[in-house]
Amino acid sequence: MNKFILGLLFSLPLMAIAQTETDIRNHYTAVNKQIKESIELGFEGPLYQNQWIANKNGRSWPAVGLYNETTDFWYDDPPDHLPAEERNPKNVLLKINISRKSSHLQANEEYLFKDGKLLFYYSHEGEEGNEWETRVYFNNKGVAFKSSVKANGKELTAKDFLTEEYRDFKPNPVRILNEAKKKQELFVKSM
């Protein structure tokens, strides 16, 4: 009986993490549903969208060649607008989607927020038949508690990140949080 209770106590933190991941996945699904509705319904959709496009006409960029980048900021600003002194514009941002094409490289990034905090980061890159996917989950304190990296369909392990081939694929949560913060600040400045 004591072993059962001891095992239960040690597994509680793991269950808390699983619950947090489930909450993030549920939030991700709900936000994506709202984005889809907003695209389909236009101005009557549940979310607002700001979109930035770099090199819209796809002209060649110096030292890069073909280049185009589209950034979509999806946000919710309730109709009962709070007074300016009570409002934090960072809290309305729900998701940032970035699509980038650069010569042979195609990349997509997603940053999922809730109450102004980054919860999830996703990246998918493809170049010349190779693909890389990265997922990083953050708790509400900004600490990464789970990450997953796939290279050409293979799930990479900690041992793989020690090799020269995969060293650069290891997620850097501090860099991801800093990038998310910069993009969040750009969103706020655009409001």
Side-chain angles (χ1 to χ4, degrees):
M1 181 71 168
N2 287 339
K3 289 181 183 179
F4 174 75
I5 293 172
L6 189 61
L8 183 62
L9 288 175
F10 282 118
S11 67
L12 284 176
L14 295 175
M15 287 189 281
I17 289 172
Q19 179 60 40
T20 302
E21 183 180 344
T22 300
D23 290 344
I24 291 171
R25 287 176 187 260
N26 290 340
H27 181 60
Y28 182 84
T29 301
V31 169
N32 282 343
K33 182 180 175 191
Q34 289 179 317
I35 290 171
K36 183 179 177 188
E37 288 174 17
S38 297
I39 290 170
E40 290 171 356
L41 298 175
F43 70 90
E44 293 181 9
L47 298 179
Y48 299 94
Q49 175 192 21
N50 290 354
Q51 186 177 69
W52 293 0
I53 300 174
N55 200 20
K56 181 176 182 175
N57 295 322
R59 301 219 19 173
S60 181
W61 274 37
V64 177
L66 299 176
Y67 179 78
N68 177 277
E69 181 175 300
T70 303
T71 304
D72 293 306
F73 297 93
W74 292 97
Y75 62 101
D76 180 15
D77 203 0
D80 59 339
H81 298 284
L82 295 172
E85 61 275 359
E86 296 176 27
R87 187 169 178 251
N88 183 351
K90 289 181 181 179
N91 290 348
V92 299
L93 181 62
L94 294 172
K95 191 171 181 192
I96 301 172
N97 290 339
I98 302 169
S99 297
R100 184 179 305 112
K101 292 179 185 173
S102 173
S103 294
H104 296 290
L105 177 70
Q106 292 192 10
N108 295 301
E109 288 181 294
E110 298 179 8
Y111 296 85
L112 180 71
F113 297 89
K114 186 172 184 180
D115 298 324
K117 296 181 184 203
L118 180 67
L119 294 181
F120 178 68
Y121 168 79
Y122 172 76
S123 172
H124 178 268
E125 296 181 5
E127 181 178 37
E128 299 177 356
N130 294 308
E131 289 188 73
W132 307 274
E133 281 188 337
T134 302
R135 290 175 172 81
V136 182
Y137 297 83
F138 295 89
N139 66 19
N140 61 1
K141 305 253 190 253
V143 176
F145 67 86
K146 181 179 179 182
S147 65
S148 167
V149 179
K150 290 183 181 177
N152 295 321
K154 174 190 172 197
E155 182 82 30
L156 300 182
T157 65
K159 185 177 177 182
D160 291 325
F161 293 129
L162 298 175
T163 66
E164 187 66 34
E165 181 180 7
Y166 296 120
R167 184 172 307 177
D168 294 336
F169 294 97
K170 185 176 181 181
N172 183 337
V174 173
R175 184 194 61 78
I176 293 169
L177 285 168
N178 287 337
E179 282 299 312
K181 185 178 249 180
K182 286 179 192 175
K183 290 172 182 9
Q184 192 178 43
E185 288 170 3
L186 287 173
F187 166 74
V188 171
K189 288 178 183 177
S190 75
M191 296 298 284

